[in-house]
């Protein structure tokens, strides 16, 4: 009987030790959800971070800024990525605004556009429906097809706030990602839209605003009007987060993290 009890105890101790070892071997994670505009930055950062930190896995979903804020609030993600500043009511719920880069919002038009510049006032009037034809801004005549992001998009919130046209826009189409806006404007004659600076390519015309191109230099100098923060929101301060999440933010603030931000067309922050 004593041998049987001893064997049971020994077996339990071994099983416990194995379970403990197994638990400690499990990888640590950093989970993110949110802005589609931040996808290029986040994917590039995750790739390098995961290579340099084999004990941690950083991953992200891209479902929009609003969904990212909801996810971090609900505790289903460590970080909520938002391509806009946090609202006061979000901060009141304990969310902390961690700005990781500055982005410009570029105004784009279909390649048949015959002008290369709009004033901020003209842009406002196009989006609120006051100007409905390209001839109203000195371009070749044609009804303007106004493209934008869906409700809850951080890019849309930031764009409308900068122009003071929240809830006033007359959209022909509201699309659920930055990439969709770019593709739709490129394929739709007389279309206009807005996208994150880092996705620009030659498929569309990039319009100046008040004579300034959406470049990092003009944004840094404060000359280009349409700019916004890229935010990685946490529930509580970074110092209150898991070791893995703290390591993630340390990486983003490092020289290598800043280089990644610059490589995808963003302005790193100190």
């Amino acid at each position: 009987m004593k041998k049987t009890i001893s064997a049971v105890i020994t077996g339990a101790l071994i099983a416990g030790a194995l379970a403990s070892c197994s638990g400690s071997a499990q990888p640590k994670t950093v989970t993110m959800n949110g802005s589609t505009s931040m996808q290029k930055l986040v994917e590039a950062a995750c790739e390098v971070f995961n290579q340099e930190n084999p004990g941690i896995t950083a991953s992200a979903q891209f479902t929009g800024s609003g969904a990212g804020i909801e996810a971090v609030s609900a505790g289903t993600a460590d970080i909520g990525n938002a391509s806009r500043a946090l609202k006061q009511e979000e901060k009141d719920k304990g969310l902390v605004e961690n700005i990781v880069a500055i982005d410009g919002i570029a105004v784009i038009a279909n390649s048949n556009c015959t002008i290369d510049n709009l004033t901020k006032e003209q842009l406002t009037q196009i989006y609120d429906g006051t100007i409905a034809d390209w001839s109203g801004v000195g371009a070749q005549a044609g009804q303007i097809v106004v493209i934008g992001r869906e409700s809850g998009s951080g890019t849309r919130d930031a764009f409308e706030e900068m122009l003071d046209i929240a809830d006033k826009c007359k959209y022909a189409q509201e699309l659920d990602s930055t990439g969709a806006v770019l593709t739709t404007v490129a394929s739709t004659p007389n279309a206009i839209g807005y996208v994150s600076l880092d996705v620009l390519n030659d498929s569309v015309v990039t319009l100046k605003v008040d004579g300034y191109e959406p470049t990092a230099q003009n944004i840094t100098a404060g000359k280009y009007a349409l700019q916004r923060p890229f935010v990685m929101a946490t529930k509580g301060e970074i110092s209150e987060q898991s070791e893995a999440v703290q390591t993630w933010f340390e990486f983003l603030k490092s020289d290598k993290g800043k280089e990644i931000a610059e490589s995808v067309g963003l302005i790193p922050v100190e």
Side-chain angles (χ1 to χ4, degrees):
M1 183 67 176
K2 289 183 179 179
K3 289 183 179 180
T4 302
I5 294 173
S6 177
V8 170
I9 293 173
T10 300
L13 290 172
I14 293 173
L18 289 173
S20 176
C21 290
S22 175
S24 63
Q26 292 179 352
K28 300 173 183 178
T29 62
V30 178
T31 57
M32 292 172 276
N33 198 340
S35 172
T36 62
S37 296
M38 293 174 66
Q39 183 168 355
K40 188 176 288 188
L41 168 65
V42 173
E43 287 184 338
C46 282
E47 181 178 358
V48 178
F49 177 83
N50 289 338
Q51 290 174 352
E52 295 192 352
N53 298 273
I56 306 174
T57 301
S59 62
Q61 294 179 294
F62 305 99
T63 56
S65 295
I69 294 301
E70 290 177 6
V72 72
S73 295
T76 57
D78 297 314
I79 296 170
N81 293 332
S83 52
R84 60 166 175 81
L86 292 187
K87 300 174 182 178
Q88 188 57 50
E89 57 264 33
E90 293 166 344
K91 294 180 180 179
D92 291 342
K93 294 178 181 178
L95 297 188
V96 174
E97 180 181 274
N98 305 298
I99 299 175
V100 296
I102 303 297
D103 178 45
I105 298 179
V107 179
I108 59 173
N110 183 265
S111 59
N112 73 338
C113 184
T114 57
I115 60 172
D116 67 355
N117 180 72
L118 288 171
T119 67
K120 194 173 178 180
E121 182 180 3
Q122 287 173 329
L123 186 59
T124 298
Q125 292 177 331
I126 287 173
Y127 270 87
D128 71 11
T130 303
I131 297 176
D133 195 284
W134 280 106
S135 60
V137 292
Q140 182 176 332
Q143 184 173 356
I144 302 174
V145 182
V146 179
I147 307 297
R149 289 293 305 277
E150 82 287 5
S151 177
S153 157
T155 306
R156 172 170 168 167
D157 287 348
F159 179 81
E160 293 184 358
E161 182 178 342
M162 284 181 242
L163 296 181
D164 195 23
I165 51 174
D167 302 321
K168 299 176 184 177
C169 291
K170 308 297 182 184
Y171 292 110
Q173 295 186 55
E174 300 178 37
L175 304 174
D176 63 1
S177 73
T178 295
V181 173
L182 186 74
T183 301
T184 301
V185 171
S187 61
T188 307
N190 298 319
I192 189 171
Y194 50 82
V195 297
S196 180
L197 189 64
D198 66 334
V199 304
L200 287 176
N201 60 38
D202 294 336
S203 68
V204 293
V205 173
T206 302
L207 300 179
K208 300 172 186 175
V209 177
D210 289 330
Y212 292 103
E213 297 178 353
T215 64
Q217 292 82 358
N218 286 336
I219 292 169
T220 301
K223 296 177 179 179
Y224 185 74
L226 306 181
Q227 55 178 283
R228 43 76 183 272
F230 272 2
V231 171
M232 291 189 175
T234 52
K235 199 167 187 178
E237 300 291 341
I238 292 175
S239 60
E240 301 171 24
Q241 308 306 309
S242 69
E243 181 182 348
V245 171
Q246 291 184 47
T247 302
W248 168 258
F249 279 106
E250 289 169 4
F251 170 76
L252 292 178
K253 293 176 182 178
S254 69
D255 289 343
K256 185 162 291 186
K258 292 176 182 178
E259 287 174 7
I260 291 171
E262 289 179 338
S263 73
V264 296
L266 301 172
I267 301 169
V269 296
E270 294 301 326

mmCIF file of all heavy atoms in Angstrom, residues 205-221:
data_model
loop_
_atom_site.group_PDB
_atom_site.id
_atom_site.type_symbol
_atom_site.label_atom_id
_atom_site.label_comp_id
_atom_site.label_asym_id
_atom_site.label_seq_id
_atom_site.Cartn_x
_atom_site.Cartn_y
_atom_site.Cartn_z
ATOM 1 N N VAL A 205 -3.917 59.632 -60.081
ATOM 2 C CA VAL A 205 -3.288 60.948 -60.004
ATOM 3 C C VAL A 205 -3.335 61.407 -58.550
ATOM 4 O O VAL A 205 -4.399 61.360 -57.920
ATOM 5 C CB VAL A 205 -4.030 61.964 -60.896
ATOM 6 C CG1 VAL A 205 -3.475 63.372 -60.681
ATOM 7 C CG2 VAL A 205 -3.935 61.567 -62.360
ATOM 8 N N THR A 206 -2.214 61.816 -58.013
ATOM 9 C CA THR A 206 -2.174 62.353 -56.655
ATOM 10 C C THR A 206 -2.279 63.875 -56.736
ATOM 11 O O THR A 206 -1.461 64.526 -57.389
ATOM 12 C CB THR A 206 -0.868 61.970 -55.945
ATOM 13 O OG1 THR A 206 -0.743 60.542 -55.926
ATOM 14 C CG2 THR A 206 -0.870 62.486 -54.510
ATOM 15 N N LEU A 207 -3.294 64.435 -56.096
ATOM 16 C CA LEU A 207 -3.541 65.869 -56.179
ATOM 17 C C LEU A 207 -2.856 66.616 -55.029
ATOM 18 O O LEU A 207 -2.847 66.149 -53.892
ATOM 19 C CB LEU A 207 -5.043 66.145 -56.130
ATOM 20 C CG LEU A 207 -5.885 65.511 -57.243
ATOM 21 C CD1 LEU A 207 -7.358 65.852 -57.046
ATOM 22 C CD2 LEU A 207 -5.413 65.977 -58.616
ATOM 23 N N LYS A 208 -2.299 67.763 -55.352
ATOM 24 C CA LYS A 208 -1.781 68.651 -54.321
ATOM 25 C C LYS A 208 -2.968 69.278 -53.581
ATOM 26 O O LYS A 208 -4.072 69.364 -54.131
ATOM 27 C CB LYS A 208 -0.938 69.759 -54.941
ATOM 28 C CG LYS A 208 0.267 69.276 -55.731
ATOM 29 C CD LYS A 208 0.920 70.449 -56.451
ATOM 30 C CE LYS A 208 2.034 69.982 -57.370
ATOM 31 N NZ LYS A 208 2.584 71.107 -58.171
ATOM 32 N N VAL A 209 -2.735 69.703 -52.365
ATOM 33 C CA VAL A 209 -3.741 70.448 -51.601
ATOM 34 C C VAL A 209 -3.130 71.801 -51.240
ATOM 35 O O VAL A 209 -2.087 71.853 -50.592
ATOM 36 C CB VAL A 209 -4.175 69.688 -50.334
ATOM 37 C CG1 VAL A 209 -5.165 70.534 -49.527
ATOM 38 C CG2 VAL A 209 -4.811 68.354 -50.704
ATOM 39 N N ASP A 210 -3.761 72.866 -51.724
ATOM 40 C CA ASP A 210 -3.233 74.232 -51.531
ATOM 41 C C ASP A 210 -1.806 74.362 -52.040
ATOM 42 O O ASP A 210 -0.977 75.079 -51.461
ATOM 43 C CB ASP A 210 -3.315 74.644 -50.059
ATOM 44 C CG ASP A 210 -4.754 74.890 -49.605
ATOM 45 O OD1 ASP A 210 -5.581 75.304 -50.436
ATOM 46 O OD2 ASP A 210 -5.040 74.665 -48.415
ATOM 47 N N GLY A 211 -1.518 73.628 -53.114
ATOM 48 C CA GLY A 211 -0.210 73.747 -53.755
ATOM 49 C C GLY A 211 0.872 72.842 -53.205
ATOM 50 O O GLY A 211 1.995 72.861 -53.708
ATOM 51 N N TYR A 212 0.560 72.033 -52.206
ATOM 52 C CA TYR A 212 1.581 71.180 -51.582
ATOM 53 C C TYR A 212 1.295 69.695 -51.821
ATOM 54 O O TYR A 212 0.162 69.232 -51.644
ATOM 55 C CB TYR A 212 1.669 71.442 -50.082
ATOM 56 C CG TYR A 212 2.217 72.809 -49.757
ATOM 57 C CD1 TYR A 212 1.378 73.852 -49.359
ATOM 58 C CD2 TYR A 212 3.585 73.058 -49.865
ATOM 59 C CE1 TYR A 212 1.891 75.113 -49.065
ATOM 60 C CE2 TYR A 212 4.107 74.316 -49.569
ATOM 61 C CZ TYR A 212 3.250 75.340 -49.179
ATOM 62 O OH TYR A 212 3.757 76.583 -48.906
ATOM 63 N N GLU A 213 2.338 68.972 -52.203
ATOM 64 C CA GLU A 213 2.231 67.524 -52.383
ATOM 65 C C GLU A 213 2.260 66.827 -51.023
ATOM 66 O O GLU A 213 2.873 67.338 -50.082
ATOM 67 C CB GLU A 213 3.395 67.023 -53.250
ATOM 68 C CG GLU A 213 3.404 67.583 -54.660
ATOM 69 C CD GLU A 213 4.600 67.087 -55.459
ATOM 70 O OE1 GLU A 213 5.481 66.420 -54.857
ATOM 71 O OE2 GLU A 213 4.652 67.356 -56.664
ATOM 72 N N PRO A 214 1.632 65.645 -50.943
ATOM 73 C CA PRO A 214 1.624 64.914 -49.667
ATOM 74 C C PRO A 214 2.915 64.134 -49.449
ATOM 75 O O PRO A 214 2.950 62.904 -49.527
ATOM 76 C CB PRO A 214 0.425 63.974 -49.824
ATOM 77 C CG PRO A 214 0.372 63.696 -51.294
ATOM 78 C CD PRO A 214 0.793 64.974 -51.968
ATOM 79 N N THR A 215 3.984 64.856 -49.179
ATOM 80 C CA THR A 215 5.285 64.226 -48.935
ATOM 81 C C THR A 215 5.643 64.316 -47.460
ATOM 82 O O THR A 215 5.109 65.153 -46.724
ATOM 83 C CB THR A 215 6.393 64.928 -49.743
ATOM 84 O OG1 THR A 215 6.514 66.289 -49.276
ATOM 85 C CG2 THR A 215 6.074 64.934 -51.227
ATOM 86 N N ALA A 216 6.561 63.470 -47.056
ATOM 87 C CA ALA A 216 7.005 63.478 -45.658
ATOM 88 C C ALA A 216 7.580 64.840 -45.285
ATOM 89 O O ALA A 216 7.353 65.342 -44.174
ATOM 90 C CB ALA A 216 8.042 62.380 -45.436
ATOM 91 N N GLN A 217 8.303 65.449 -46.222
ATOM 92 C CA GLN A 217 8.916 66.749 -45.942
ATOM 93 C C GLN A 217 7.847 67.819 -45.701
ATOM 94 O O GLN A 217 7.945 68.623 -44.768
ATOM 95 C CB GLN A 217 9.811 67.162 -47.114
ATOM 96 C CG GLN A 217 11.055 66.301 -47.278
ATOM 97 C CD GLN A 217 10.793 65.007 -48.032
ATOM 98 O OE1 GLN A 217 9.656 64.706 -48.419
ATOM 99 N NE2 GLN A 217 11.842 64.231 -48.233
ATOM 100 N N ASN A 218 6.825 67.832 -46.556
ATOM 101 C CA ASN A 218 5.767 68.837 -46.412
ATOM 102 C C ASN A 218 4.919 68.597 -45.171
ATOM 103 O O ASN A 218 4.427 69.546 -44.546
ATOM 104 C CB ASN A 218 4.885 68.859 -47.659
ATOM 105 C CG ASN A 218 5.567 69.508 -48.846
ATOM 106 O OD1 ASN A 218 6.480 70.320 -48.682
ATOM 107 N ND2 ASN A 218 5.141 69.156 -50.044
ATOM 108 N N ILE A 219 4.730 67.326 -44.814
ATOM 109 C CA ILE A 219 3.962 67.008 -43.611
ATOM 110 C C ILE A 219 4.736 67.432 -42.367
ATOM 111 O O ILE A 219 4.184 68.063 -41.462
ATOM 112 C CB ILE A 219 3.620 65.508 -43.570
ATOM 113 C CG1 ILE A 219 2.629 65.169 -44.694
ATOM 114 C CG2 ILE A 219 3.044 65.116 -42.215
ATOM 115 C CD1 ILE A 219 2.424 63.693 -44.904
ATOM 116 N N THR A 220 6.019 67.102 -42.335
ATOM 117 C CA THR A 220 6.860 67.468 -41.190
ATOM 118 C C THR A 220 6.914 68.984 -41.006
ATOM 119 O O THR A 220 6.896 69.484 -39.878
ATOM 120 C CB THR A 220 8.287 66.922 -41.377
ATOM 121 O OG1 THR A 220 8.230 65.500 -41.515
ATOM 122 C CG2 THR A 220 9.157 67.262 -40.186
ATOM 123 N N ALA A 221 6.949 69.701 -42.128
ATOM 124 C CA ALA A 221 7.026 71.167 -42.076
ATOM 125 C C ALA A 221 5.672 71.809 -41.789
ATOM 126 O O ALA A 221 5.595 73.027 -41.605
ATOM 127 C CB ALA A 221 7.575 71.696 -43.395
#
